[in-house]
Amino acid sequence: MDLPDVGIPPQLARRMSMAEQHEYLRTRLTRRRTLVTAGAVAGGLLTGCASDGNGSSPRTAASATPAAKVPGSAVAPFGRHLAFGADPRTQMRISWQVPAAVRKPYVRIGARPDELGRRIEAEIRDLHTPGVTGVRPALDQYYVHAALDDLLPGTTYYYGVGHDGLDPAAPEHRSTITSLRTAPTRPEKFVFTAFGDQGVSKAAAAGDDLLLKQDPAFHLHAGDICYADVNGRGEKTDGYDPAYWDLFLKQNEQVARSVPWMVTTGNHDMEAWYSPDGYGGQLARWSLPDSGFDSRTAPGVYAFTYGNVGFVALDANDVSYEIPANLGHTGGKQTAWLDEKLGELRKAVDFVVVFFHHCAYSTSSHASDGGVRAEWLPLFAKHQVDLVINGHNHVYERTDAIKGGEVGRRVPVGASTDPTRDGIVYVTAGGGGKDLYGFPAGVKESYEGQVRDLDSVDTFQWTKSRATKAETVEWSRVRYRGFSLLKVEAESGGTPRLRVSALAQNGDRIDHFEVRRGA
């Protein structure tokens, strides 16, 4: 394979993973103070790597580059990622990428890896990004999606993805067959994981390794997924390279091909090249549950139920005072939908978990977003949400139970809390892999095995005028500045509970607490 001239010596490039190539280029080009561009890497190396695999909205396969230019047998899928449909018991969405347009993509699925008798057609969403002279070339990316419905609950299926010229059931491709599992009919114990702010790096890949060891039923990604948009302001002047998505999906395939990857939208996921709200890229890359909210308006807004827990994903760009590019872009419709959806879930499940990007409560660099507090916290209190998970600040921070904006009950490491009495615990799980932040000057970390309780922390919140308002808070209970992920065990038998743990990247537990209702 002829390697393109991307500034990496060929002998070195052949020994490097895609994540390592990305880090090499990022470090090298940052020194030169230029936009990091992985376009040459993705355009040249990913096609070879994949063999193991004008800013408009996404186009259909009919407008893609003619498939005849590249034989189907030479185009290897990569970047497989799963997501639930509206009903995780019977619906799954399988998505992947191809480095060139193909004809008639499909999924083969069956109860055994050697019996993939069911064949389901897929669709291609072609995403075109125009070039910028001297910065990046134009790029076409091809994302493929298949909707699997009428599956059996609580069942493991095996699947492979292909197209004309490449059959995943053929002997030479059987090593690509992997599995998925639907949600059970009745509630039973399960684990889910969560973090935000991942990107492409050795730390991000190590986080994936730790995640797999937890054997989760699914993963929640609280936004700032890939960081193709460098600045995160949601403007065309942001530094942007869409080829980072190729690197990201390649990196995460080891997990997301078998663990449903439930994403929502962060500020770095507003990519202004595709649509006024910047979500054209999201619509091309992800197939997420349809739960009554218009996905074309905000693809990261949806809900699903797994076992005895209801989950709600929100687009906090819609209410953020700090980064106002999309402030109010749903015209209040998202907040009205949230009120209705929380009411429905509260009557149907034991626990309700909400996840989104911008922090309701944090003391780290971005601190707390006053828009989130003003719009959504009254609804969380009204419907007694049990747990809120955020990203945005690249740390782990966990509050006490908060009621009416104040500490309703202290929740030290190892304690239990009851949302019906105490209020809601908010977790910032932003240590997914991107460069880490810290805490205010003089504020020390405090976590399991190294508890340093503080009476108060001086921090701030963002106001509607984009000014910062100083505040002294007493709710910052656990603080850790390393890479980490959240692990939650949901139990339905006896006394239902959520056992919440935070794990450092080496696997050490840095926090744990329990949520029980009416206990």
Side-chain angles (χ1 to χ4, degrees), residues 25-372:
L25 289 171
R26 182 183 67 81
T27 302
R28 181 172 182 269
L29 294 177
T30 298
R31 290 196 197 103
R32 290 163 50 190
R33 299 190 179 186
T34 62
L35 172 69
V36 180
T37 177
V41 178
L45 292 181
L46 258 183
T47 303
C49 207
S51 62
D52 6 283
N54 86 50
S56 59
S57 295
R59 296 176 287 172
T60 64
S63 62
T65 303
K69 290 186 177 180
V70 181
S73 59
V75 180
F78 69 97
R80 289 168 293 176
H81 50 285
L82 303 178
F84 292 128
D87 184 352
R89 297 170 300 180
T90 61
Q91 297 178 322
M92 192 73 74
R93 306 297 177 245
I94 301 177
S95 304
W96 67 97
Q97 195 172 348
V98 286
V102 295
R103 289 177 53 84
K104 298 181 179 179
Y106 62 90
V107 168
R108 282 193 180 276
I109 186 168
R112 291 172 42 179
D114 58 348
E115 291 184 4
L116 305 181
R118 185 176 173 186
R119 178 166 165 158
I120 299 164
E121 293 183 0
E123 64 163 324
I124 295 179
R125 302 175 193 169
D126 170 22
L127 185 66
H128 175 74
T129 308
V132 177
T133 303
V135 177
R136 65 164 188 260
L139 181 64
D140 280 281
Q141 292 164 300
Y142 305 95
Y143 299 99
V144 193
H145 302 266
L148 278 61
D149 299 317
D150 303 319
L151 301 174
L152 296 175
T155 302
T156 296
Y157 290 91
Y158 295 86
Y159 77 91
V161 301
H163 49 261
D164 273 7
L166 189 150
D167 185 349
E172 65 270 26
H173 298 303
R174 283 183 182 169
S175 63
T176 67
I177 302 300
T178 189
S179 65
L180 59 85
R181 185 167 180 82
T182 54
T185 301
R186 297 177 180 176
E188 58 185 44
K189 183 176 179 179
F190 69 94
V191 170
F192 70 90
T193 53
F195 57 54
D197 308 87
Q198 188 180 17
V200 180
S201 67
K202 290 182 179 178
D208 285 348
D209 292 339
L210 177 64
L211 192 161
L212 270 177
K213 292 176 182 177
Q214 312 316 310
D215 193 23
F218 55 91
H219 178 70
L220 308 180
H221 197 305
D224 279 8
I225 304 168
C226 160
Y227 288 87
D229 185 300
V230 178
N231 303 96
R233 295 187 299 257
E235 301 170 353
K236 278 196 174 182
T237 53
D238 288 356
Y240 180 60
D241 190 334
Y244 274 8
W245 282 104
D246 301 1
L247 305 178
F248 177 85
L249 292 172
K250 182 71 176 178
Q251 167 191 269
N252 277 26
E253 184 174 18
Q254 62 158 329
V255 184
R257 67 187 178 185
S258 57
V259 177
W261 204 256
M262 309 306 294
V263 303
T264 190
T265 312
N267 57 292
H268 283 271
D269 305 316
M270 295 186 290
E271 299 167 335
W273 292 92
Y274 306 117
S275 55
D277 58 14
Y279 294 155
Q282 294 286 79
L283 290 167
R285 300 181 191 103
W286 307 98
S287 287
L288 297 166
D290 180 359
S291 45
F293 194 81
D294 184 359
S295 64
R296 294 169 298 177
T297 301
V301 179
Y302 56 91
F304 65 94
T305 297
Y306 193 104
N308 65 331
V309 186
F311 296 87
V312 181
L314 298 174
D315 174 14
N317 294 314
D318 186 26
V319 299
S320 172
Y321 288 167
E322 179 195 4
I323 303 168
N326 274 355
L327 179 60
H329 80 97
T330 71
K333 293 179 181 178
Q334 179 181 196
T335 299
W337 173 87
L338 172 64
D339 191 10
E340 180 180 358
K341 185 58 64 175
L342 289 178
E344 293 174 1
L345 290 172
R346 187 74 282 164
K347 297 173 184 177
V349 294
D350 292 326
F351 298 106
V352 177
V353 175
V354 179
F355 67 108
F356 53 92
H357 187 63
H358 305 64
C359 294
Y361 292 102
S362 179
T363 65
S364 188
S365 300
H366 290 290
S368 307
D369 199 302
V372 169

Side-chain angles (χ1 to χ4, degrees), residues 361-363 387-390 395-402 407 409-417 424-430 439 446-448 451 453 474-480 486 500-502 510-515:
Y361 292 102
S362 179
T363 65
L387 181 66
V388 175
I389 301 170
N390 301 133
V395 295
Y396 176 83
E397 185 171 18
R398 197 256 295 165
T399 71
D400 288 318
I402 297 179
V407 175
R409 181 184 179 89
R410 284 170 58 102
V411 186
V413 173
S416 295
T417 183
I424 303 167
V425 172
Y426 293 79
V427 176
T428 299
F439 295 97
S446 181
Y447 53 91
E448 187 166 351
V451 174
D453 283 335
E474 299 177 354
W475 40 252
S476 179
R477 184 54 49 204
V478 180
R479 297 173 299 279
Y480 177 76
L486 199 67
V500 186
S501 302
I510 55 173
D511 185 23
H512 73 284
F513 66 98
E514 191 172 276
V515 179

